[in-house]
Amino acid sequence: MKKYNFDELVDRTNTNCIKYDGRQMFFGTEDVLPLWVADMDFKTPDFIINALKERLEHEVLGYTFRDDSYAESITNWLEKRHAWKVEKEWLSFSPGVVAGLTLAIEAFSKPGDEVIVQPPVYFPFFDSVKGTGRKMVENPLKLENGRYTFDLEDLKQKITSETKLLLLCNPQNPGGMVWTREELEALTAICLENKVLIISDEIHSDLVFEGHKHIPLPTISEEVAQSCVVCMAGSKTFNIAGLTTSFVVIPNKRLLARYERELKVPHLHMGNIFGSVALETAYREGEAWLEQMLVYLQENMQLVRTYLKGNLPQVVPMEPEATYLVWLDFNALGLSDEELNERLLKAGVGLNRGVQFGKQGSGYMRINIGCQRSTLLQALERIKAAFA
């Protein structure tokens, strides 16, 4: 079995890379080590690059469709990795998970309807709700024993006759929780009782650490399967986000037809050749690479844990159960969000500000550990220096 080298540094500058070439725009300076945008600094796996090169040998890049082989690569992956038997007829396309989420909001609600979000949460959720003219209702997560969980009593109180949808982040971003079956059963019971459709963002489902297991929402029960939409992709897993190819799983035929109408009117269903090739190749050949990468990420997390405990114990990382994103709690330092961000930028490290994920993120920053260990160590040293 090939051994992959995740320590190899890759110069991403001058490639129109948001993470590096967008530093001036987002941080006001080029002199910052960026550990923010949720893509990885590791090379996209060689088997994907080779498949793309092979496709380029055919010198016509005209209109194409996604065939049964593409669908089978997805269904086989989901069954093997998540014990989820998915019929190919349940699959649809999306240019990205946020695009799929937004299309689903358009398809299954109307302007003025209430959509529940659970902050602190991936901030494009807010844009998708507000940008489509829906009313955002917050059901904040509860912090218990250093881990977020659902506030079910608050959820019950927030649901009204105007509440049509709940946006679920599973695994959770930025906290890194892998929701347990018990947690999901309790959440879905409330939604079923109130006829609230769940749109579940499961883009991080392959990035689950040892000791935890991702539970695809439709596997909770057949009733739940008929009352949810699942948005997934290989983009985070295999570092192919730039190919804008995701998929949606909708077991309910009626809901699937409504989603596909929303998808096809603006002609978004076509996708692109290379996204399809990359996704199919990733799911057919990517298991060994993924297993090695997950070990590397867990070792990176151990570095974060050990370094902060020994050098800056006031900063406490939330223990991630999944994802390469770590939620750092700076509240013990007693700084405002603006002061916190200024200190870090002055020290030359760029993270995501916690308040981007909702006001519940005040005092937090999100760091991306999907990078070479030398880069991560350099960032940790700069964080230490910021508060020396």
Side-chain angles (χ1 to χ4, degrees):
M1 182 177 70
K2 181 174 180 177
K3 173 74 173 168
Y4 290 94
N5 179 16
F6 296 99
D7 284 317
E8 181 183 358
L9 292 170
V10 182
D11 183 2
R12 298 184 63 189
T13 59
N14 300 315
T15 62
N16 293 333
C17 161
I18 290 176
K19 194 183 220 176
Y20 286 85
D21 296 327
R23 284 178 289 187
Q24 184 68 46
M25 184 192 313
F26 288 96
F27 297 112
T29 176
E30 295 284 344
D31 187 22
V32 64
L33 193 61
L35 281 84
W36 61 302
V37 174
D39 64 8
M40 298 185 287
D41 287 342
F42 309 135
K43 283 184 176 179
T44 298
D46 55 349
F47 45 87
I48 294 177
I49 299 298
N50 292 336
L52 295 175
K53 288 178 178 177
E54 183 180 341
R55 179 59 183 85
L56 275 169
E57 291 301 316
H58 191 290
E59 297 174 352
V60 177
L61 302 178
Y63 291 122
T64 58
F65 60 89
R66 292 171 293 278
D67 61 10
D68 284 347
S69 178
Y70 168 90
E72 286 166 6
S73 72
I74 295 172
T75 58
N76 290 344
W77 180 265
L78 295 178
E79 184 168 12
K80 185 171 187 180
R81 299 294 299 188
H82 305 300
W84 183 21
K85 281 192 69 68
V86 169
E87 304 293 332
K88 65 181 181 181
E89 291 78 17
W90 301 352
L91 298 176
S92 188
F93 177 76
S94 169
V97 161
V98 174
L101 191 89
T102 307
L103 288 166
I105 291 172
E106 294 272 22
F108 306 121
S109 65
K110 63 183 186 300
D113 284 345
E114 295 174 351
V115 179
I116 293 176
V117 296
Q118 298 176 308
V121 73
Y122 183 47
F123 48 85
F125 280 23
F126 308 141
D127 297 333
S128 293
V129 175
K130 294 176 180 177
T132 54
R134 275 59 173 175
K135 180 181 177 184
M136 188 169 73
V137 176
E138 293 192 7
N139 167 225
L141 299 173
K142 291 193 299 186
L143 188 57
E144 292 182 352
N145 302 316
R147 180 184 186 274
Y148 287 122
T149 189
F150 300 128
D151 189 336
L152 299 176
E153 290 307 312
D154 181 71
L155 176 61
K156 291 174 186 175
Q157 293 173 17
K158 296 285 177 67
I159 293 175
T160 74
S161 60
E162 303 302 314
T163 309
K164 306 302 178 186
L165 305 172
L166 181 144
L167 306 187
L168 176 67
C169 198
N170 176 34
Q172 209 271 347
N173 171 14
M177 272 65 58
V178 176
W179 303 121
T180 65
R181 179 170 291 277
E182 292 72 24
E183 286 174 315
L184 292 173
E185 285 174 347
L187 180 77
T188 55
I190 294 169
C191 291
L192 288 173
E193 182 182 348
N194 291 278
K195 296 182 170 54
V196 173
L197 183 76
I198 301 177
I199 304 172
S200 185
D201 169 2
E202 303 193 8
I203 196 170
H204 293 284
S205 56
D206 294 322
L207 300 168
V208 173
F209 296 148
E210 190 176 353
H212 303 279
K213 179 175 173 53
H214 174 68
I215 309 292
L217 194 65
T219 64
I220 296 298
S221 71
E222 179 57 28
E223 194 177 4
V224 171
Q226 294 299 312
S227 305
C228 72
V229 171
V230 177
C231 302
M232 306 184 88
S235 53
K236 302 294 185 194
T237 311
F238 295 100
N239 215 19
I240 50 175
L243 295 176
T244 59
T245 298
S246 302
F247 60 94
V248 176
V249 186
I250 309 178
N252 184 311
K253 287 183 180 180
R254 180 178 56 83
L255 296 179
L256 177 61
R258 287 172 62 182
Y259 172 82
E260 295 214 309
R261 272 201 307 275
E262 207 67 44
L263 177 72
K264 290 177 180 178
V265 168
H267 222 69
L268 294 173
H269 62 287
M270 296 296 290
N272 70 83
I273 294 170
F274 300 110
S276 300
V277 169
L279 186 143
E280 179 172 351
T281 305
Y283 283 168
R284 291 197 182 280
E285 302 180 32
E287 197 157 32
W289 182 90
L290 174 58
E291 291 297 339
Q292 291 179 41
M293 194 269 289
L294 285 172
V295 170
Y296 192 88
L297 287 182
Q298 289 178 93
E299 290 170 350
N300 271 3
M301 184 58 214
Q302 183 58 43
L303 172 62
V304 171
R305 199 182 288 119
T306 303
Y307 187 94
L308 291 177
K309 187 175 182 180
N311 295 278
L312 195 59
Q314 305 98 312
V315 179
V316 181
M318 185 168 284
E319 194 61 38
E321 299 165 357
T323 84
Y324 49 78
L325 306 165
V326 180
W327 196 226
L328 300 177
D329 185 354
F330 288 83
N331 279 290
L333 294 171
L335 300 173
S336 70
D337 292 300
E338 196 58 44
E339 289 170 331
L340 179 58
N341 191 53
E342 285 178 5
R343 288 269 197 108
L344 289 167
L345 287 179
K346 189 174 181 180
V349 60
L351 310 180
N352 285 104
R353 299 176 65 172
V355 287
Q356 286 182 271
F357 302 84
K359 62 180 180 290
Q360 298 80 5
S362 180
Y364 288 82
M365 301 289 278
R366 191 188 75 172
I367 186 171
N368 180 344
I369 65 168
C371 59
Q372 291 74 22
R373 196 152 299 139
S374 59
T375 301
L376 180 59
L377 180 58
Q378 187 181 1
L380 290 168
E381 289 172 344
R382 292 186 183 190
I383 292 171
K384 176 188 174 184
F387 306 104

